[in-house]
Structure formats: C-alpha cells, structure tokens
Amino acid sequence: RTPHYGGAVALRTGTLAVTNGAIAATMKPTVHIAEGATWQLRGDVALTNVTVSGSGTVEGGMLTDPTLKVDWTEDDDPLDGPVFTGTVMGKVMVDFGHTEEKPMLRPYPKKLLIATCSNNDRLILKAKNIGAKQVHATFYRDPEDNTKIRCDVAQLGFTVIFR
C-alpha cells in the first residue's frame, strides 16, 4: 500500500538531511522512511510530535513525544519499525492504523518490532487505532537486545461457551 499524505510531499531515494531551523517548531511533520533510506537530523535538531513510519533510519537529533505509525503488508502483516540513532524521549504513541470497520486481523502480532532506539531512556508507550475494543498492546524492551522495542497484541478477557 502507498500511504497518502497531505501537504508538502517529496519523494527521494537515499538520505534526506535536515539541519536546525529547516522544520518550524510549529509543524507536526509526518515522515515515511522506506527500508534502506535515512532521515538525517543534523546538529541539535529537536522535533516534537513528529509522526514517523517505515523501517528506515532516523539518524541523530532528538524526537520528543513522537507517533510511530505501524506499516502493514497487503496481507495485513506488520512490518518492522524504524531505527533511531539519536534520542527518543517522552510519550510515544504507537498508531496501528486500524478502525472498528477495519480491525486488526487475528492472529494478533507477537514480538512485533516497533522501533530500535540507541538510547536506553525510559519511554512511555501507548497504543491507538487497534480497531477493536477488547484488544490491547503490551510494549517491552527485547530481553536479548534492549535497543529493540517490541509489542504483543492480545485479546482482553475470556469467552465462556455454554452448551
């Protein structure tokens, strides 16, 4: 699927470099970084409330309170999230992009790689747009590589069947 974005759109191959002041503090950019691509935040670039999707690399900079948008294949399989070499801090919203009309399909993903962060700061992660009321996401650092943030999605509660 090709994401649909409004506003200024630029498609490039390779690396996009951003220096301090190139993105206004009042903007809330949405950036899709394809696998193998790099978004360089040079110098002391600090962005708040930026939305990042794709499985490419965000190099340098500092992102505060970002939204990570989970990308899905045509078969509704989740793709790995982005790699951050700079600092990610604050509350991270993970947007699964589903609605009640188009809920996440079972089996729900386990050990889904949401992001890779080189800093080990404590992050607060929260899920949105899972698409079902009794489904929740649990986020955790991978015990074998604590730079990887993973997620398990599961059904809440239980079902009793009487016959």
Side-chain angles (χ1 to χ4, degrees), residues 32-85:
H32 178 80
I33 308 163
E35 184 177 358
T38 301
W39 184 32
Q40 288 181 346
L41 301 177
R42 294 183 175 167
D44 58 353
V45 173
L47 298 173
T48 301
N49 297 322
V50 64
T51 298
V52 178
S53 66
S55 54
T57 300
V58 179
E59 187 177 285
M62 179 171 56
L63 301 179
T64 303
D65 300 335
T67 296
L68 303 181
K69 187 162 177 29
V70 176
D71 287 330
W72 301 86
T73 66
E74 291 295 329
D75 297 328
D76 209 38
D77 292 323
L79 300 173
D80 288 348
V83 175
F84 297 94
T85 65

Side-chain angles (χ1 to χ4, degrees), residues 86-138:
T87 301
V88 178
M89 55 191 287
K91 297 176 184 174
V92 179
M93 185 65 67
V94 179
D95 184 348
F96 287 93
H98 287 276
T99 63
E100 286 189 35
E101 293 79 32
K102 188 184 180 298
M104 188 181 299
L105 300 177
R106 289 184 184 192
Y108 297 125
K110 302 286 185 209
K111 299 182 181 178
L112 170 62
L113 181 59
I114 296 294
T116 302
C117 298
S118 62
N119 68 307
N120 289 318
D121 294 343
R122 183 173 170 221
L123 298 174
I124 299 169
L125 291 104
K126 183 176 180 182
K128 73 176 188 176
N129 296 330
I130 292 179
K133 292 180 181 176
Q134 296 297 317
V135 177
H136 80 286
T138 302

